[in-house]
Amino acid sequence: MNAAKDQTLRIRHKVGQMFMCGFMDTSPNKDILTLIQDYHLGGIIYFRRNIGTAEQVYACSAALQRAAAEPLLIAIDQEGGMVARIEDGVTLMPGNMALGATRNPEGVRQAAAIAGAELRHLGINMNFAPCVDVNNNPANPVIGVRSYGESPLLVSEMGSAAAAGYQEAGVAATIKHFPGHGDTDTDSHLALPAISHGRERLAAIELLPFQQIIEAGVDAVMTAHVVFKAYEDEAIPATLSENILTGLLRRELNFDGIIVTDCLEMNAISQTVGVGPGAVQAVKAGADLILVSHTYSWQIEAIEAVIQAVIRGEISEARIDASVQRLASLKAKRGITGAEPQAFPAIQQQLASEASHEVARTLSEQSITLLCDDGQLPLAEHEGIYVIWPEVRINHEVVEALQEEMTLGKALNSYYDKVTERIIGVDPAAEEIAVVLEESRSFTQIVTATYNADFSPGQRQILQELTARIGCRVIVVAVRNPYDFTAVSGIRTYIASYENKPLAMQSVAKVLAGQSFTRGVLPVTVGAFAYGSGIVS
């Protein structure tokens, strides 16, 4: 009886090390402490709900490590640009597509090294970045600007540089979403996407960045909840596919690092096979670290499901041992000891320095891409300027809604006295559309920012009516998706900034005011503008 009990305790401990979970507070709450202390949880994931000040994040990380008997992996999605959980008190670097527009791999490495060092100072030792999906589908609703671009060679070069930078800083880099989420038109947070390409095409496009970055020595690979019909006859997503995780990733690509799943609470898993069965299938497929990000009951269900699968012999203990050993090796490799860090005042001096901000500013200015202009730039100094700013108001698990303090209108106020800005929703209501169209009639200079206009009928209506006006300068600035140029015809001046973050808006404002040159080139094809297009002024 005691031997059986000891075996069960041993299995519970090992299985717990294979799970990474999130929680709902800015300090360790009862649920996460129970998972750490009773279930021997191996990892924590932070979201914006866990983030206050830099000092609070530092204190939270330290408290979590103190509660754990073994060092914790503490992870975050700090991709930069549009996907960043921490923005205040750290250096927010441009996102991937903006970096792709710079064609500056050394800058990418330097940015990742800076961001990684700041994360590590806050007790975060694993970053779920860089995203190395090749975004060759303009209709992709979830990757888009999170990709470096449509060229697998560009993605490989930039992704390799970023992974090297993070790991140089002592943070485990995680390339995602294997074997590729770039050519989907469905969001796996909401449903189960499928890709029908054959193996030859997948090897040349989707897999190339993963292969090259794995060969360079990346620490971790995150799976995609996407069905790849070239590897699975049934509707089995990569996360649950032994053919993909063990056959393709382990054997063909010779990856021996950490395989981490994307969150099992996403609808592609939770609303199909279910979280508990999904966890069992992911372990059987070859995953080392199972991510259940949000819901305590699902977290318990998933851990218990794997424990019971091992006890009844469905999963061998040797299979669990292999993952536990990989996780322990990663912690040793990156110096993750759980030891008490230095006092925060010493840490604070190493965050968000002027030198790190200068790196971010330089990369941001290098990214701004001018696709066309028929003499409308720079904006005239003594005429009024009307700015339309689309505000993100609906939360998404990837891009969490945040009211940006620095809008494009505010950025232009640094250069012009007569700036009027109207803030609307990304999906503007009829009343908002009517107000914008009426207010703007008294202006001869209009700057309209667009945010995923291809997905917004209201934004397209505004664009169509404005671009048809005679005797009026209309400058369009895509503050997320560069494909917005194709939303309507008649755009005469078009700038892509790839993100709506304050630094990007300051960079755009400098261009509009004639205080900066444009240096970015397209990392994707946008309508008639080929990959590599851009007016370098």
Side-chain angles (χ1 to χ4, degrees):
M1 178 67 72
N2 286 338
K5 183 178 180 180
D6 288 345
Q7 181 191 31
T8 299
L9 290 174
R10 184 179 71 246
I11 290 169
R12 290 177 67 85
H13 182 275
K14 291 178 181 178
V15 168
Q17 288 294 294
M18 294 178 63
F19 277 82
M20 177 174 278
C21 297
F23 62 106
M24 294 296 171
D25 295 304
T26 54
S27 60
N29 62 15
K30 179 181 176 182
D31 289 348
I32 202 66
L33 291 174
T34 298
L35 289 169
I36 291 170
Q37 294 165 354
D38 294 353
Y39 286 88
H40 313 285
L41 191 68
I44 305 291
I45 180 171
Y46 284 157
F47 287 86
R48 192 168 282 162
R49 65 190 181 221
N50 306 117
I51 307 302
T53 64
E55 184 172 11
Q56 168 269 319
V57 176
Y58 159 88
C60 184
S61 301
L64 288 164
Q65 293 288 12
R66 286 195 300 270
E70 297 184 49
L72 292 165
L73 290 171
I74 300 181
I76 197 166
D77 291 285
Q78 192 77 359
E79 298 175 17
M82 299 305 300
V83 181
R85 309 307 184 201
I86 308 176
E87 298 194 25
D88 294 333
V90 299
T91 310
L92 180 60
M93 293 296 174
N96 282 6
M97 193 167 284
L99 293 174
T102 70
R103 301 298 201 272
N104 182 356
E106 174 53 28
V108 171
R109 186 206 60 77
Q110 190 177 5
I114 291 168
E118 292 185 347
L119 291 176
R120 190 65 192 256
H121 287 319
L122 297 178
I124 298 164
N125 48 48
M126 188 174 200
N127 195 9
F128 289 148
C131 175
V132 297
D133 298 305
V134 179
N135 199 79
N136 45 24
N137 186 338
N140 193 315
V142 68
I143 302 301
V145 295
R146 299 169 67 195
S147 167
Y148 292 107
E150 69 180 29
S151 161
L153 294 176
L154 176 68
V155 173
S156 298
E157 183 178 35
M158 297 300 195
S160 294
Y166 290 127
Q167 291 177 184
E168 172 187 320
V171 170
T174 309
I175 54 175
K176 60 187 183 183
H177 305 79
F178 185 83
H181 206 324
D183 196 8
T184 62
D185 56 11
T186 301
D187 183 350
S188 53
H189 292 86
L190 308 176
L192 180 60
I195 289 178
S196 300
H197 300 305
R199 295 193 183 196
E200 186 175 336
R201 146 63 198 254
L202 292 172
I205 306 294
E206 280 77 9
L207 292 176
L208 184 64
F210 290 99
Q211 179 180 5
Q212 294 195 358
I213 302 170
I214 285 168
E215 290 174 357
V218 73
D219 285 338
V221 173
M222 178 178 279
T223 68
H225 300 333
V226 177
V227 175
F228 286 81
K229 297 180 180 179
Y231 292 93
E232 289 289 356
D233 294 333
E234 301 178 50
I236 300 173
T239 297
L240 311 183
S241 168
E242 185 175 2
N243 290 339
I244 291 175
L245 300 193
T246 299
L248 175 60
L249 184 51
R250 289 279 185 228
R251 295 179 186 150
E252 292 187 36
L253 300 185
N254 297 312
F255 179 65
D256 196 36
I258 302 302
I259 299 176
V260 55
T261 71
D262 209 340
C263 178
L264 298 191
E265 294 192 35
M266 292 162 61
N267 286 1
I269 303 295
S270 64
Q271 302 305 308
T272 55
V273 299
V275 173
V280 172
Q281 289 187 41
V283 172
K284 291 168 72 174
D288 301 300
L289 190 58
I290 311 301
L291 185 60
V292 189
S293 299
H294 309 292
T295 309
Y296 181 68
S297 60
W298 267 341
Q299 291 163 349
I300 297 293
E301 176 190 332
I303 296 171
E304 289 287 2
V306 175
I307 290 170
Q308 293 307 312
V310 178
I311 289 172
R312 65 177 176 263
E314 183 180 344
I315 299 173
S316 72
E317 194 168 348
R319 165 69 194 86
I320 301 299
D321 287 342
S323 288
V324 172
Q325 181 55 51
R326 285 193 193 97
L327 291 161
S329 296
L330 174 62
K331 293 174 186 178
K333 181 180 181 182
R334 295 294 161 221
I336 300 167
T337 63
E340 196 69 33
Q342 57 185 312
F344 183 72
I347 294 292
Q348 192 169 25
Q349 296 176 17
Q350 302 176 70
L351 302 175
S353 69
E354 179 55 37
S356 66
H357 280 303
E358 182 58 31
V359 171
R361 278 193 293 270
T362 298
L363 289 168
S364 176
E365 291 184 12
Q366 288 175 0
S367 75
I368 304 304
T369 307
L370 177 63
L371 289 187
C372 59
D373 177 45
D374 63 354
Q376 298 190 111
L377 295 180
L379 294 172
E381 187 173 351
H382 301 296
E383 298 177 30
I385 302 168
Y386 187 79
V387 180
I388 303 166
W389 177 258
E391 181 177 73
V392 181
R393 296 169 180 169
I394 298 175
N395 210 42
H396 185 277
E397 190 170 339
V398 176
V399 180
E400 297 166 302
L402 179 69
Q403 289 190 1
E404 297 294 346
E405 292 184 8
M406 177 60 70
T407 64
L408 183 51
K410 289 180 180 176
L412 282 169
N413 277 327
S414 299
Y415 303 98
Y416 298 97
D417 295 329
K418 302 175 183 178
V419 178
T420 301
E421 184 170 55
R422 171 62 62 179
I423 296 175
I424 61 174
V426 167
D427 293 306
E431 295 80 6
E432 292 179 299
I433 295 170
V435 167
V436 162
L437 294 177
E438 183 57 35
E439 278 185 344
S440 62
R441 290 188 187 282
S442 59
F443 290 83
T444 57
Q445 295 187 114
I446 300 171
V447 180
T448 178
T450 64
Y451 188 103
N452 289 354
D454 264 348
F455 301 100
S456 171
Q459 287 188 63
R460 292 199 302 273
Q461 181 183 341
I462 291 171
L463 275 177
Q464 193 67 71
E465 296 205 25
L466 292 180
T467 54
R469 288 183 182 174
I470 298 173
C472 178
R473 298 185 183 192
V474 179
I475 290 89
V476 179
V477 180
V479 300
R480 183 167 180 178
N481 192 337
Y483 302 109
D484 285 354
F485 182 83
T486 64
V488 301
S489 60
I491 296 175
R492 296 160 55 197
T493 301
Y494 186 78
I495 295 172
S497 68
Y498 310 99
E499 52 200 57
N500 66 357
K501 297 301 176 182
L503 195 53
M505 293 305 94
Q506 291 165 352
S507 298
V508 169
K510 287 181 73 172
V511 169
L512 294 177
Q515 301 298 308
S516 179
F517 299 116
T518 53
R519 286 168 276 178
V521 294
L522 277 178
V524 291
T525 300
V526 175
F529 294 104
Y531 172 90
S533 297
I535 300 171
V536 179
S537 57

